[in-house]
Amino acid sequence: MWYVIEGFDGADVLAARLQARSAHLARLQALADAGRLLLAGPCPAIDGEDPGPAGFSGSVVIAQFDALEQAQVWAEADPYVAAGVYQRVLVRPFKKVLP
């Protein structure tokens, strides 16, 4: 089943986000390589492609797991969690309808 994973950034975490980014992306690439990643990306803190020093308000990942508990375990092991970037992570089932 698909799950949407929303990570919500804390305040002033842009430097920590940049430092942990390569490890975060490696985990996403592993999901993509396994055919289990629908989409992933950050949410700019301002209305613009490059938020600059404003940074990001969080990230969204939609990926396939066998169960909600597996998605939650995967989400909690994210390098952004360990680095203190995400202050909160929400995992919910997702039903893909379109396209």
Side-chain angles (χ1 to χ4, degrees):
M1 178 163 194
W2 293 105
Y3 295 89
V4 60
I5 300 167
E6 295 177 272
F8 298 88
D9 285 19
D12 300 317
V13 295
L14 183 57
R17 177 183 264 273
L18 294 174
Q19 187 172 18
R21 185 171 189 263
S22 63
H24 170 77
L25 291 178
R27 295 179 81 237
L28 292 171
Q29 189 61 56
L31 284 177
D33 292 347
R36 295 173 44 208
L37 183 65
L38 184 63
L39 66 86
C43 301
I46 61 171
D47 188 13
E49 283 287 320
D50 180 3
F56 300 90
S57 62
S59 304
V60 174
V61 173
I62 300 179
Q64 201 169 42
F65 294 91
D66 290 333
L68 177 62
E69 295 78 19
Q70 289 178 353
Q72 290 170 326
V73 167
W74 185 91
E76 289 299 327
D78 194 290
Y80 283 172
V81 172
V85 174
Y86 292 157
Q87 67 177 5
R88 180 170 63 101
V89 177
L90 178 64
V91 181
R92 297 179 288 157
F94 178 79
K95 183 176 178 181
K96 183 179 182 283
V97 175
L98 293 172

